[in-house]
Coordinates of all heavy atoms in Angstrom, one line a residue:
V1 N 108.3 -74.3 151.9 CA 107.6 -73.1 152.1 C 107.0 -73.1 153.5 O 106.4 -74.1 153.9 CB 106.5 -72.8 151.1 CG1 105.7 -71.6 151.4 CG2 107.1 -72.7 149.7
I2 N 107.3 -72.1 154.3 CA 106.7 -72.0 155.6 C 105.8 -70.8 155.7 O 106.1 -69.7 155.3 CB 107.8 -71.8 156.7 CG1 108.8 -73.0 156.7 CG2 107.2 -71.5 158.1 CD1 110.0 -72.8 157.6
D3 N 104.6 -71.1 156.1 CA 103.5 -70.1 156.2 C 103.3 -69.9 157.7 O 102.8 -70.8 158.4 CB 102.3 -70.5 155.5 CG 101.2 -69.4 155.5 OD1 101.6 -68.2 155.8 OD2 100.1 -69.7 155.2
H4 N 103.6 -68.7 158.2 CA 103.4 -68.5 159.6 C 102.0 -67.9 159.9 O 101.5 -67.1 159.2 CB 104.4 -67.4 160.1 CG 105.8 -68.0 160.0 ND1 106.4 -68.8 161.0 CD2 106.8 -67.8 159.1 CE1 107.6 -69.1 160.6 NE2 107.9 -68.5 159.5
M5 N 101.4 -68.4 161.0 CA 100.2 -67.8 161.5 C 100.5 -67.4 163.0 O 101.0 -68.1 163.7 CB 99.1 -68.9 161.5 CG 97.8 -68.2 162.0 SD 96.4 -69.4 162.2 CE 96.6 -70.6 161.0
H6 N 100.1 -66.2 163.3 CA 100.3 -65.7 164.6 C 98.9 -65.5 165.3 O 97.9 -65.2 164.6 CB 101.0 -64.3 164.5 CG 102.3 -64.4 163.9 ND1 103.5 -64.8 164.6 CD2 102.7 -64.2 162.6 CE1 104.5 -64.8 163.7 NE2 104.1 -64.4 162.5
I7 N 98.9 -65.7 166.5 CA 97.7 -65.5 167.3 C 97.9 -64.3 168.3 O 98.9 -64.3 169.0 CB 97.4 -66.8 168.1 CG1 97.1 -67.9 167.2 CG2 96.2 -66.5 169.1 CD1 96.9 -69.3 167.9
R8 N 97.0 -63.4 168.2 CA 97.0 -62.2 169.1 C 95.9 -62.4 170.1 O 94.8 -62.5 169.8 CB 96.8 -60.9 168.3 CG 96.8 -59.7 169.2 CD 96.7 -58.4 168.4 NE 95.7 -58.5 167.3 CZ 95.5 -57.6 166.4 NH1 96.2 -56.5 166.3 NH2 94.5 -57.7 165.5
L9 N 96.4 -62.6 171.4 CA 95.4 -62.8 172.5 C 94.9 -61.5 173.1 O 95.6 -60.6 173.3 CB 96.1 -63.6 173.6 CG 96.6 -65.0 173.3 CD1 97.3 -65.6 174.5 CD2 95.5 -65.9 172.8
F10 N 93.6 -61.5 173.3 CA 92.9 -60.3 173.9 C 92.5 -60.6 175.3 O 92.7 -59.8 176.2 CB 91.6 -59.9 173.1 CG 91.9 -59.5 171.7 CD1 91.4 -60.1 170.6 CD2 92.8 -58.4 171.5 CE1 91.6 -59.7 169.4 CE2 93.0 -58.0 170.2 CZ 92.5 -58.6 169.1
T11 N 91.9 -61.8 175.5 CA 91.4 -62.2 176.9 C 91.6 -63.7 177.1 O 91.3 -64.5 176.2 CB 89.9 -61.9 177.0 OG1 89.7 -60.5 176.7 CG2 89.4 -62.2 178.4
V12 N 92.1 -64.1 178.2 CA 92.2 -65.5 178.7 C 91.7 -65.5 180.1 O 92.2 -64.8 181.0 CB 93.6 -66.0 178.6 CG1 93.7 -67.4 179.2 CG2 94.2 -65.9 177.2
E13 N 90.6 -66.2 180.3 CA 90.0 -66.1 181.6 C 89.2 -67.4 182.0 O 88.7 -68.0 181.1 CB 89.0 -64.9 181.7 CG 88.7 -64.5 183.1 CD 88.1 -63.0 183.1 OE1 88.1 -62.4 182.1 OE2 87.8 -62.7 184.2
A14 N 89.2 -67.7 183.3 CA 88.3 -68.8 183.8 C 87.5 -68.1 184.9 O 88.0 -67.6 185.8 CB 89.2 -69.9 184.4
V15 N 86.1 -68.2 184.7 CA 85.2 -67.6 185.6 C 84.1 -68.6 185.9 O 83.8 -69.5 185.2 CB 84.6 -66.3 185.1 CG1 85.7 -65.3 184.9 CG2 83.9 -66.5 183.8
T16 N 83.4 -68.3 187.0 CA 82.1 -69.0 187.3 C 81.0 -68.1 187.0 O 81.0 -66.9 187.5 CB 82.1 -69.5 188.8 OG1 83.2 -70.4 189.0 CG2 80.8 -70.2 189.1
I17 N 80.0 -68.5 186.2 CA 78.9 -67.7 185.8 C 77.7 -68.2 186.5 O 77.3 -69.4 186.3 CB 78.8 -67.6 184.3 CG1 80.1 -67.0 183.7 CG2 77.6 -66.8 183.9 CD1 80.1 -67.0 182.2
S18 N 77.0 -67.3 187.2 CA 75.7 -67.7 187.9 C 74.6 -68.0 186.8 O 74.7 -67.5 185.7 CB 75.2 -66.6 188.8 OG 76.2 -66.2 189.7
A19 N 73.7 -68.8 187.3 CA 72.5 -69.1 186.4 C 71.9 -67.9 185.8 O 71.6 -66.9 186.5 CB 71.5 -69.9 187.2
G20 N 71.7 -67.9 184.5 CA 71.0 -66.8 183.8 C 71.8 -65.6 183.5 O 71.4 -64.7 182.9
H21 N 73.1 -65.6 183.9 CA 74.0 -64.4 183.7 C 74.8 -64.4 182.4 O 75.6 -63.6 182.2 CB 74.9 -64.2 184.9 CG 74.1 -63.6 186.1 ND1 74.2 -64.1 187.3 CD2 73.2 -62.6 186.2 CE1 73.4 -63.4 188.2 NE2 72.8 -62.5 187.5
W22 N 74.6 -65.4 181.6 CA 75.3 -65.5 180.3 C 74.2 -65.5 179.2 O 74.5 -66.0 178.1 CB 76.1 -66.8 180.3 CG 77.3 -66.7 179.3 CD1 78.3 -65.8 179.2 CD2 77.6 -67.7 178.3 NE1 79.1 -66.1 178.2 CE2 78.7 -67.3 177.7 CE3 76.9 -68.9 177.9 CZ2 79.3 -68.0 176.6 CZ3 77.5 -69.6 176.9 CH2 78.7 -69.2 176.2
N23 N 73.1 -65.0 179.5 CA 72.0 -65.0 178.5 C 72.1 -63.7 177.7 O 71.6 -62.6 178.1 CB 70.6 -65.1 179.2 CG 70.5 -66.4 179.9 OD1 71.3 -67.3 179.7 ND2 69.4 -66.5 180.7
T24 N 72.7 -63.8 176.5 CA 73.0 -62.6 175.7 C 72.5 -62.9 174.3 O 72.8 -64.0 173.8 CB 74.5 -62.3 175.7 OG1 74.9 -62.1 177.1 CG2 74.8 -61.0 175.0
Q25 N 71.9 -61.9 173.6 CA 71.4 -62.1 172.3 C 72.2 -61.4 171.3 O 72.8 -60.3 171.5 CB 69.9 -61.5 172.2 CG 69.0 -62.2 173.2 CD 68.7 -63.6 172.9 OE1 68.5 -64.0 171.8 NE2 68.8 -64.5 173.9
N26 N 72.3 -62.0 170.1 CA 73.0 -61.4 168.9 C 74.4 -60.8 169.2 O 74.7 -59.7 168.9 CB 72.1 -60.3 168.4 CG 70.7 -60.8 167.9 OD1 70.7 -61.8 167.2 ND2 69.7 -60.1 168.2
V27 N 75.2 -61.7 169.7 CA 76.6 -61.4 169.9 C 77.3 -61.5 168.5 O 77.1 -62.5 167.8 CB 77.3 -62.3 170.9 CG1 78.8 -62.0 171.0 CG2 76.6 -62.2 172.2
Q28 N 78.1 -60.6 168.2 CA 78.9 -60.6 166.9 C 80.2 -59.8 167.2 O 80.1 -58.6 167.4 CB 78.2 -60.1 165.7 CG 78.9 -60.4 164.4 CD 78.1 -59.9 163.2 OE1 77.1 -59.1 163.3 NE2 78.3 -60.5 162.1
S29 N 81.3 -60.5 167.1 CA 82.6 -59.8 167.4 C 83.6 -59.9 166.3 O 83.5 -60.8 165.5 CB 83.2 -60.5 168.7 OG 82.3 -60.5 169.7
P30 N 84.5 -59.0 166.2 CA 85.6 -59.0 165.2 C 86.7 -60.0 165.5 O 87.7 -60.0 164.8 CB 86.1 -57.6 165.2 CG 85.9 -57.1 166.6 CD 84.6 -57.8 167.1
F31 N 86.6 -60.7 166.6 CA 87.7 -61.6 167.1 C 87.1 -63.0 167.2 O 85.9 -63.2 167.3 CB 88.3 -61.2 168.4 CG 87.3 -60.9 169.5 CD1 86.8 -61.9 170.2 CD2 86.9 -59.6 169.7 CE1 85.9 -61.7 171.2 CE2 86.0 -59.3 170.8 CZ 85.5 -60.3 171.5
W32 N 88.0 -64.0 167.2 CA 87.6 -65.4 167.4 C 87.4 -65.7 168.9 O 87.9 -65.0 169.8 CB 88.7 -66.4 166.9 CG 88.8 -66.5 165.4 CD1 89.1 -65.5 164.5 CD2 88.6 -67.7 164.7 NE1 89.0 -66.0 163.3 CE2 88.8 -67.4 163.4 CE3 88.3 -69.0 165.0 CZ2 88.6 -68.3 162.3 CZ3 88.2 -69.9 164.0 CH2 88.3 -69.6 162.7
R33 N 86.6 -66.7 169.2 CA 86.4 -67.2 170.6 C 86.7 -68.7 170.7 O 86.4 -69.4 169.8 CB 85.0 -67.0 171.0 CG 84.6 -65.5 171.0 CD 83.1 -65.4 171.1 NE 82.7 -64.0 171.1 CZ 82.4 -63.2 172.1 NH1 82.5 -63.8 173.3 NH2 82.1 -62.0 172.0
F34 N 87.4 -69.0 171.8 CA 87.7 -70.4 172.1 C 87.0 -70.7 173.5 O 87.2 -69.9 174.4 CB 89.2 -70.6 172.3 CG 89.6 -71.9 172.9 CD1 90.0 -73.0 172.1 CD2 89.7 -72.0 174.3 CE1 90.4 -74.2 172.7 CE2 90.1 -73.2 174.9 CZ 90.5 -74.3 174.1
Y35 N 86.2 -71.8 173.6 CA 85.6 -72.2 174.8 C 86.0 -73.6 175.1 O 85.9 -74.5 174.3 CB 84.0 -72.1 174.7 CG 83.5 -70.8 174.4 CD1 82.3 -70.6 173.7 CD2 84.0 -69.6 175.0 CE1 81.8 -69.4 173.4 CE2 83.4 -68.4 174.8 CZ 82.3 -68.3 174.0 OH 81.8 -67.0 173.7
R36 N 86.3 -73.9 176.4 CA 86.5 -75.3 176.9 C 86.1 -75.2 178.4 O 86.9 -74.8 179.2 CB 87.9 -75.7 176.7 CG 88.0 -77.2 177.1 CD 89.4 -77.7 176.8 NE 89.5 -79.2 177.0 CZ 89.8 -79.7 178.1 NH1 90.2 -79.0 179.2 NH2 89.9 -81.0 178.3
N37 N 84.9 -75.6 178.6 CA 84.4 -75.6 180.0 C 84.6 -76.9 180.7 O 84.3 -78.0 180.1 CB 82.9 -75.2 180.0 CG 82.7 -73.8 179.4 OD1 83.6 -73.0 179.4 ND2 81.6 -73.6 178.8
P38 N 84.9 -76.9 182.0 CA 85.1 -78.1 182.7 C 83.7 -78.8 183.1 O 83.7 -80.0 183.6 CB 85.8 -77.7 184.0 CG 85.5 -76.3 184.2 CD 85.3 -75.7 182.8
E39 N 82.6 -78.1 182.9 CA 81.3 -78.7 183.2 C 80.3 -78.2 182.2 O 80.5 -77.2 181.5 CB 80.9 -78.4 184.6 CG 80.9 -76.9 184.9 CD 81.0 -76.6 186.4 OE1 81.4 -77.5 187.2 OE2 80.5 -75.5 186.8
E40 N 79.2 -78.8 182.1 CA 78.1 -78.4 181.2 C 77.3 -77.3 181.9 O 77.4 -77.0 183.1 CB 77.2 -79.6 180.9 CG 78.0 -80.6 180.1 CD 77.2 -81.9 179.7 OE1 76.0 -81.9 180.0 OE2 77.8 -82.8 179.1
G41 N 76.4 -76.7 181.2 CA 75.5 -75.7 181.8 C 75.2 -74.5 180.8 O 74.4 -73.7 181.2
A42 N 75.8 -74.5 179.7 CA 75.6 -73.4 178.8 C 75.4 -73.9 177.3 O 75.7 -75.0 177.0 CB 76.9 -72.5 178.8
S43 N 74.9 -73.0 176.5 CA 74.7 -73.3 175.1 C 74.8 -72.1 174.2 O 74.7 -71.0 174.7 CB 73.3 -74.0 174.9 OG 72.3 -73.1 175.2
L44 N 75.1 -72.3 173.0 CA 75.1 -71.3 171.9 C 74.0 -71.6 171.0 O 73.7 -72.7 170.7 CB 76.4 -71.3 171.2 CG 77.7 -71.1 172.0 CD1 78.9 -71.2 171.1 CD2 77.7 -69.8 172.8
R45 N 73.4 -70.5 170.4 CA 72.4 -70.6 169.3 C 72.8 -69.7 168.2 O 73.0 -68.5 168.4 CB 71.0 -70.3 169.9 CG 69.9 -70.5 168.8 CD 68.6 -70.2 169.4 NE 68.2 -70.9 170.6 CZ 67.6 -72.0 170.7 NH1 67.3 -72.7 169.6 NH2 67.4 -72.6 171.8
L46 N 72.9 -70.3 167.0 CA 73.3 -69.5 165.8 C 72.1 -68.7 165.4 O 70.9 -69.0 165.7 CB 73.8 -70.4 164.7 CG 75.1 -71.2 165.1 CD1 75.5 -72.0 163.8 CD2 76.2 -70.3 165.4
S47 N 72.3 -67.8 164.5 CA 71.2 -66.9 164.0 C 70.2 -67.7 163.2 O 69.0 -67.3 163.1 CB 71.8 -65.8 163.1 OG 72.5 -66.3 162.0
N48 N 70.5 -68.9 162.7 CA 69.6 -69.8 162.0 C 68.8 -70.6 162.9 O 68.0 -71.5 162.5 CB 70.3 -70.6 160.9 CG 71.2 -71.7 161.5 OD1 71.3 -71.8 162.7 ND2 71.9 -72.4 160.7
G49 N 69.0 -70.5 164.2 CA 68.2 -71.2 165.2 C 68.9 -72.5 165.7 O 68.5 -73.1 166.7
E50 N 70.0 -72.9 165.0 CA 70.7 -74.1 165.4 C 71.3 -73.9 166.8 O 72.0 -73.0 167.1 CB 71.8 -74.5 164.4 CG 72.4 -75.8 164.6 CD 73.3 -76.2 163.4 OE1 73.5 -75.4 162.5 OE2 73.7 -77.4 163.4
R51 N 71.1 -74.9 167.7 CA 71.6 -74.8 169.1 C 72.7 -75.8 169.3 O 72.7 -76.9 168.9 CB 70.4 -75.2 170.0 CG 70.7 -75.0 171.5 CD 69.5 -75.2 172.3 NE 69.8 -75.2 173.7 CZ 70.1 -76.3 174.5 NH1 70.0 -77.5 173.9 NH2 70.4 -76.2 175.7
F52 N 73.7 -75.3 170.1 CA 74.9 -76.1 170.4 C 75.1 -76.1 171.9 O 75.7 -75.1 172.5 CB 76.2 -75.5 169.8 CG 76.2 -75.7 168.3 CD1 75.7 -74.6 167.5 CD2 76.7 -76.8 167.7 CE1 75.7 -74.8 166.1 CE2 76.7 -76.9 166.3 CZ 76.2 -75.9 165.5
P53 N 74.7 -77.1 172.6 CA 75.0 -77.2 174.1 C 76.5 -77.4 174.2 O 77.2 -78.2 173.4 CB 74.3 -78.5 174.5 CG 73.3 -78.8 173.5 CD 73.9 -78.2 172.2
L54 N 77.1 -76.7 175.1 CA 78.6 -76.8 175.3 C 78.9 -77.9 176.3 O 78.7 -77.8 177.5 CB 79.1 -75.5 175.9 CG 78.9 -74.2 175.0 CD1 79.5 -73.0 175.6 CD2 79.4 -74.5 173.6
A55 N 79.3 -79.1 175.8 CA 79.6 -80.2 176.6 C 80.8 -80.0 177.4 O 81.8 -79.3 176.9 CB 79.7 -81.5 175.7
A56 N 80.9 -80.7 178.5 CA 82.1 -80.6 179.4 C 83.3 -81.1 178.7 O 83.3 -82.1 178.0 CB 81.8 -81.3 180.7
E57 N 84.4 -80.4 178.9 CA 85.8 -80.8 178.4 C 85.9 -80.9 176.9 O 86.8 -81.5 176.4 CB 86.2 -82.1 179.0 CG 86.2 -82.1 180.5 CD 87.2 -81.1 181.1 OE1 88.1 -80.7 180.4 OE2 87.0 -80.7 182.3
R58 N 84.9 -80.3 176.1 CA 85.0 -80.3 174.7 C 85.5 -78.9 174.2 O 85.3 -77.9 174.9 CB 83.6 -80.5 174.0 CG 83.0 -81.9 174.4 CD 83.7 -83.1 173.7 NE 83.8 -83.0 172.3 CZ 83.0 -83.6 171.4 NH1 81.9 -84.2 171.9 NH2 83.1 -83.5 170.2
V59 N 86.1 -78.8 173.1 CA 86.6 -77.5 172.6 C 85.7 -77.0 171.5 O 85.2 -77.7 170.7 CB 88.0 -77.8 171.9 CG1 88.5 -76.5 171.2 CG2 89.0 -78.2 173.0
Y60 N 85.4 -75.7 171.7 CA 84.5 -75.0 170.7 C 85.2 -73.7 170.2 O 85.8 -73.0 171.1 CB 83.2 -74.6 171.4 CG 82.4 -75.8 171.8 CD1 82.6 -76.4 173.1 CD2 81.5 -76.4 171.0 CE1 81.9 -77.5 173.5 CE2 80.8 -77.6 171.3 CZ 81.0 -78.1 172.6 OH 80.3 -79.2 173.0
F61 N 85.1 -73.4 168.9 CA 85.6 -72.2 168.4 C 84.4 -71.5 167.7 O 83.6 -72.1 167.1 CB 86.6 -72.5 167.2 CG 88.0 -72.9 167.7 CD1 88.3 -74.3 167.8 CD2 88.9 -72.0 168.2 CE1 89.5 -74.7 168.2 CE2 90.1 -72.5 168.6 CZ 90.4 -73.8 168.7
V62 N 84.4 -70.2 167.9 CA 83.4 -69.3 167.3 C 84.2 -68.3 166.4 O 84.9 -67.5 167.0 CB 82.5 -68.5 168.3 CG1 81.5 -67.7 167.5 CG2 81.8 -69.5 169.2
P63 N 84.2 -68.5 165.1 CA 85.0 -67.6 164.3 C 84.5 -66.1 164.3 O 83.3 -65.8 164.7 CB 84.7 -68.1 162.9 CG 84.3 -69.5 163.0 CD 83.5 -69.5 164.3
A64 N 85.4 -65.2 164.0 CA 85.1 -63.8 164.0 C 83.9 -63.6 163.0 O 83.9 -64.2 162.0 CB 86.3 -63.0 163.6
G65 N 83.1 -62.7 163.4 CA 81.9 -62.3 162.5 C 80.7 -63.1 162.6 O 79.7 -62.8 162.0
V66 N 80.8 -64.3 163.3 CA 79.6 -65.1 163.4 C 78.6 -64.6 164.5 O 79.1 -64.2 165.6 CB 80.0 -66.6 163.8 CG1 78.8 -67.4 164.2 CG2 80.8 -67.2 162.7
R67 N 77.4 -64.4 164.1 CA 76.4 -63.9 165.0 C 75.8 -65.1 165.8 O 75.4 -66.1 165.2 CB 75.3 -63.2 164.3 CG 74.2 -62.5 165.2 CD 73.2 -61.8 164.5 NE 73.8 -60.8 163.6 CZ 74.1 -59.5 164.0 NH1 74.0 -59.2 165.2 NH2 74.6 -58.7 163.1
F68 N 75.7 -65.0 167.1 CA 75.2 -66.1 168.0 C 74.6 -65.5 169.2 O 74.8 -64.3 169.6 CB 76.2 -67.1 168.3 CG 77.3 -66.6 169.2 CD1 77.3 -66.8 170.5 CD2 78.4 -65.9 168.6 CE1 78.3 -66.3 171.4 CE2 79.4 -65.4 169.4 CZ 79.4 -65.6 170.8
S69 N 73.8 -66.3 169.9 CA 73.3 -65.9 171.2 C 73.8 -67.0 172.2 O 74.1 -68.1 171.8 CB 71.8 -65.9 171.2 OG 71.3 -64.9 170.3
C70 N 73.9 -66.6 173.5 CA 74.4 -67.6 174.5 C 73.4 -67.6 175.6 O 72.7 -66.7 175.9 CB 75.8 -67.2 175.0 SG 76.3 -65.5 175.0
R71 N 73.4 -68.8 176.3 CA 72.4 -69.0 177.4 C 73.0 -70.0 178.4 O 73.7 -70.9 178.1 CB 71.2 -69.6 176.7 CG 70.0 -69.9 177.7 CD 68.8 -70.1 176.9 NE 67.6 -70.2 177.8 CZ 67.0 -69.1 178.3 NH1 67.4 -67.9 177.9 NH2 66.0 -69.2 179.1
N72 N 72.6 -69.7 179.7 CA 72.9 -70.7 180.7 C 71.8 -70.7 181.7 O 71.4 -69.6 182.2 CB 74.3 -70.4 181.4 CG 74.3 -69.2 182.3 OD1 73.8 -68.2 182.0 ND2 74.8 -69.4 183.5
E73 N 71.2 -71.8 182.0 CA 70.1 -71.9 183.0 C 70.7 -72.4 184.3 O 69.9 -72.3 185.3 CB 69.1 -72.9 182.4 CG 68.4 -72.3 181.2 CD 67.3 -73.2 180.6 OE1 66.9 -74.1 181.3 OE2 66.9 -72.9 179.5
A74 N 71.9 -72.8 184.3 CA 72.5 -73.3 185.6 C 73.9 -72.6 185.7 O 74.5 -72.2 184.7 CB 72.7 -74.8 185.6
A75 N 74.4 -72.5 186.9 CA 75.7 -71.9 187.1 C 76.7 -72.9 186.4 O 76.5 -74.1 186.4 CB 76.1 -71.8 188.6
F76 N 77.8 -72.3 185.9 CA 78.8 -73.2 185.3 C 80.2 -72.5 185.3 O 80.2 -71.2 185.4 CB 78.5 -73.6 183.8 CG 78.6 -72.5 182.8 CD1 79.6 -72.5 181.9 CD2 77.7 -71.4 182.8 CE1 79.7 -71.4 181.0 CE2 77.7 -70.4 181.9 CZ 78.8 -70.4 180.9
R77 N 81.3 -73.3 185.2 CA 82.6 -72.7 185.1 C 82.9 -72.5 183.7 O 82.7 -73.5 182.9 CB 83.6 -73.6 185.8 CG 83.4 -73.6 187.4 CD 84.4 -74.5 188.1 NE 84.1 -75.8 187.7 CZ 85.0 -76.8 187.7 NH1 86.3 -76.6 188.0 NH2 84.7 -78.0 187.4
H78 N 83.5 -71.4 183.3 CA 83.6 -71.0 181.9 C 85.1 -70.6 181.7 O 85.6 -69.7 182.3 CB 82.7 -69.9 181.6 CG 82.7 -69.4 180.2 ND1 82.6 -70.3 179.1 CD2 82.7 -68.2 179.6 CE1 82.5 -69.6 178.0 NE2 82.6 -68.3 178.3
F79 N 85.8 -71.4 180.8 CA 87.1 -71.0 180.4 C 87.1 -70.5 178.9 O 86.5 -71.2 178.1 CB 88.1 -72.2 180.5 CG 89.5 -71.8 179.9 CD1 90.3 -71.0 180.6 CD2 89.9 -72.3 178.7 CE1 91.6 -70.7 180.1 CE2 91.1 -72.0 178.2 CZ 92.0 -71.2 178.9
Y80 N 87.6 -69.3 178.7 CA 87.5 -68.8 177.3 C 88.7 -68.0 177.0 O 89.4 -67.5 177.8 CB 86.2 -67.9 177.1 CG 86.2 -66.7 178.0 CD1 86.6 -65.5 177.5 CD2 85.7 -66.7 179.3 CE1 86.6 -64.3 178.2 CE2 85.7 -65.5 180.1 CZ 86.1 -64.4 179.5 OH 86.0 -63.2 180.3
I81 N 88.9 -67.9 175.7 CA 90.0 -67.1 175.1 C 89.4 -66.3 173.9 O 88.7 -66.9 173.1 CB 91.2 -67.9 174.6 CG1 91.8 -68.8 175.7 CG2 92.3 -67.1 173.9 CD1 92.8 -69.8 175.3
H82 N 89.7 -65.0 173.9 CA 89.3 -64.2 172.7 C 90.6 -63.9 172.0 O 91.6 -63.4 172.6 CB 88.6 -62.9 173.2 CG 87.3 -63.1 173.9 ND1 86.7 -62.1 174.6 CD2 86.5 -64.2 174.0 CE1 85.6 -62.5 175.0 NE2 85.4 -63.8 174.7
F83 N 90.7 -64.1 170.7 CA 91.9 -63.9 170.0 C 91.7 -63.6 168.5 O 90.6 -63.8 168.0 CB 92.7 -65.2 170.1 CG 92.1 -66.4 169.4 CD1 92.5 -66.8 168.1 CD2 91.1 -67.1 170.1 CE1 91.9 -67.9 167.5 CE2 90.6 -68.3 169.5 CZ 90.9 -68.6 168.2
D84 N 92.7 -63.1 167.8 CA 92.7 -62.9 166.4 C 93.8 -63.8 165.8 O 94.8 -64.1 166.4 CB 93.2 -61.4 166.1 CG 92.1 -60.5 165.9 OD1 90.9 -60.9 165.8 OD2 92.3 -59.3 165.9
L85 N 93.5 -64.2 164.6 CA 94.5 -65.0 163.8 C 95.1 -64.0 162.8 O 94.4 -63.3 162.1 CB 93.8 -66.1 163.0 CG 93.2 -67.2 163.9 CD1 92.5 -68.2 163.0 CD2 94.2 -67.9 164.7
I86 N 96.4 -63.9 162.8 CA 97.1 -63.0 161.9 C 98.0 -63.8 161.0 O 98.8 -64.6 161.5 CB 97.9 -62.0 162.7 CG1 97.0 -61.2 163.7 CG2 98.7 -61.0 161.9 CD1 97.7 -60.4 164.7
G87 N 97.9 -63.5 159.7 CA 98.8 -64.2 158.8 C 98.1 -65.2 157.9 O 96.9 -65.5 158.0

């Protein structure tokens, strides 16, 4: 039995974000997010207060529907993909 999963891409981008310009509260999206930054400088905070610093060269997924806030106190390079899983 083969079960296919398809990925629908919305955004694929690499940007540099200035200090304080990624400080957003209560983000909740109908799509998944993939983050893999080449350097540190940003963090995510879940609605329960749990904080996740985004370490350099690590992979992070934020599932659709998860409420979170983001923050950066220093400039950082940000690689991200917004996508849906279909199937």
Side-chain angles (χ1 to χ4, degrees):
V1 174
I2 297 175
D3 186 14
H4 295 280
M5 183 184 330
H6 300 278
I7 297 174
R8 179 173 47 187
L9 297 178
F10 297 120
T11 305
V12 177
E13 199 162 354
V15 297
T16 298
I17 299 177
S18 301
H21 285 130
W22 203 55
N23 296 349
T24 306
Q25 301 296 313
N26 296 317
V27 176
Q28 187 175 22
S29 303
F31 51 81
W32 284 64
R33 295 166 183 263
F34 168 95
Y35 297 145
R36 186 172 187 270
N37 299 332
E39 57 199 22
E40 298 179 3
S43 64
L44 302 179
R45 185 179 304 269
L46 299 181
S47 59
N48 67 2
E50 192 171 4
R51 185 173 173 266
F52 292 92
L54 301 182
E57 303 299 338
R58 299 289 304 264
V59 171
Y60 297 89
F61 288 98
V62 180
V66 170
R67 185 177 304 277
F68 66 97
S69 298
C70 29
R71 180 168 192 80
N72 74 312
E73 296 182 13
F76 73 106
R77 291 180 293 150
H78 184 48
F79 175 73
Y80 64 96
I81 301 172
H82 296 167
F83 65 97
D84 266 346
L85 297 176
I86 302 169

